[in-house]
Amino acid sequence: MSVIGLAFYFALGGNVLFQWGLIPSRRGIRSASLPSVMAFMVAASVGGTVAGLVFRYVLTPWGLESFAPVVLILLLLGAGLAARAIGAVTGKANPLRIDDGTLQSTLVLYAIAIMAGGNFSSIWLMLGGGASAALGYLAATRFLDDIMDRLDLEPVPAPFRGTPIRFISTGLMALAFAGIDASFFVKFSG
Amino acid sequence: MAIDDKGGAREAWTAIAGLAPLLVFSNSLSSGLVLGVAFLVVHSTAAALSLLLPLRFGPARVLGISLFGAAVAASLSATVLRLIDPFLFETAYSRLFLTVCTVPVLRACLLPESVAERERSIENILRGLGYSVVVILAGAVREFLAAGSISVNSASGPASASLLPIAAQPAGAFILIGLAAAAFKAAMAAAKGSER
């Protein structure tokens, strides 16, 4: 698969929001700063690559694919401990704060590690796959937020307001993205 | 440690959104059963560990240990599935692994902060059973809508879709969840209206 095909795949048909149902529980992508977006992409890229290498060179040869969650969680906890240690050294250590956004980010990083890490053989494709998947998720989240903002101006029937219309909008977006992906993916997949 | 929580509506939304990854993949009774049972095992393990670990461990350590326990539970579930049905394992393993980091499981891993919350943790374990039933039911309903019949045979699955094929796709799952949420909301509003 070419790099363009990879980006195309994770932006549309392989988008983790639409294919894996990782809908954020609240709007807020607009308030995310560029450094935090970049950090998220780097974390997804590195996480996907490390998970892919461990899966391919450690778990698969020993027939231990079922134990991938244990390895992924250990990697996730290790990354969390490293971040806290760096924060402590630089004097920017924060108390452990867990909200919906943190839980969702953890789920997305974990899903990308499973998805991007298990699908590619080349390290570069794993790195690119993780970053593309993160970018595709953030872009889809932004589109969904924009649609919800626009729908706030429309007379949506009361039972559909809020959660129901958000899910239905996501479904229609997933349909559109899958259609574009099915139509053009072969041309870009290389 | 602090948890952002603004009432029942927010709680209900978090539960639905948190289950969405499993509801989207649960497109047949067999996949629903696999995910529902695996979720029940993983969620119960996480909730039980966070409840039973001593308070002196602190929030961060309880979260880490509970999450690790949930991952071990997911791995054991996957191993059992692999022994029972290798074909189903190949199709479902990535989503089965995802159960560890679904929002309800992550919330179950958090240390109950007060005695009252600790007493409510038993409810948390029971809630996992309810979530599992929802995942299994979603699989059965989507398979029926997609194929016009329900079968526990994983080999037949939703491939023979003929009635409403979109119900087996992720897009169909989102739309069905949205319609179900709207129907629930309308029913709740009607019930409140009849009370007055």
Side-chain angles (χ1 to χ4, degrees), chain B residues 88-130:
Chain B
L88 195 55
F89 171 80
E90 286 300 323
T91 56
Y93 77 91
S94 58
R95 307 304 173 108
L96 200 152
F97 292 169
L98 199 65
T99 52
V100 178
C101 275
T102 48
V103 174
V105 172
L106 289 174
R107 290 177 81 88
C109 289
L110 299 174
L111 177 70
E113 286 184 327
S114 61
V115 176
E117 255 187 64
R118 212 168 169 79
E119 283 169 358
R120 280 177 54 200
S121 294
I122 302 291
E123 291 173 25
N124 199 17
I125 294 175
L126 293 175
R127 202 176 293 140
L129 185 62

Side-chain angles (χ1 to χ4, degrees), chain A residues 40-98:
Chain A
F40 184 69
M41 286 177 64
V42 169
S45 183
V46 173
T49 306
V50 173
L53 292 175
V54 170
F55 195 80
R56 188 170 299 274
Y57 295 110
V58 179
L59 297 177
T60 305
W62 291 84
L64 296 173
E65 295 93 330
S66 306
F67 286 87
V70 176
V71 175
L72 290 175
I73 288 299
L74 286 176
L75 288 173
L76 205 60
L77 292 173
L81 282 174
R84 283 173 70 84
I86 291 170
V89 169
T90 56
K92 293 178 180 174
N94 296 319
L96 182 62
R97 182 176 174 79
I98 297 172

Side-chain angles (χ1 to χ4, degrees), chain A residues 2 45 51 63 68 73 86 100 105 114 126 133 142 157 160 168 178 187:
Chain A
S2 69
S45 183
I73 288 299
I86 291 170
D100 291 347
S105 303
I114 294 174
M126 286 182 198
R142 176 68 195 257
F160 285 90
I168 292 171
K187 292 183 181 176

Side-chain angles (χ1 to χ4, degrees), chain B residues 12-27:
Chain B
W13 159 251
T14 307
I16 295 173
L19 275 184
L22 304 184
L23 296 174
V24 165
F25 185 66
S26 174
N27 62 357

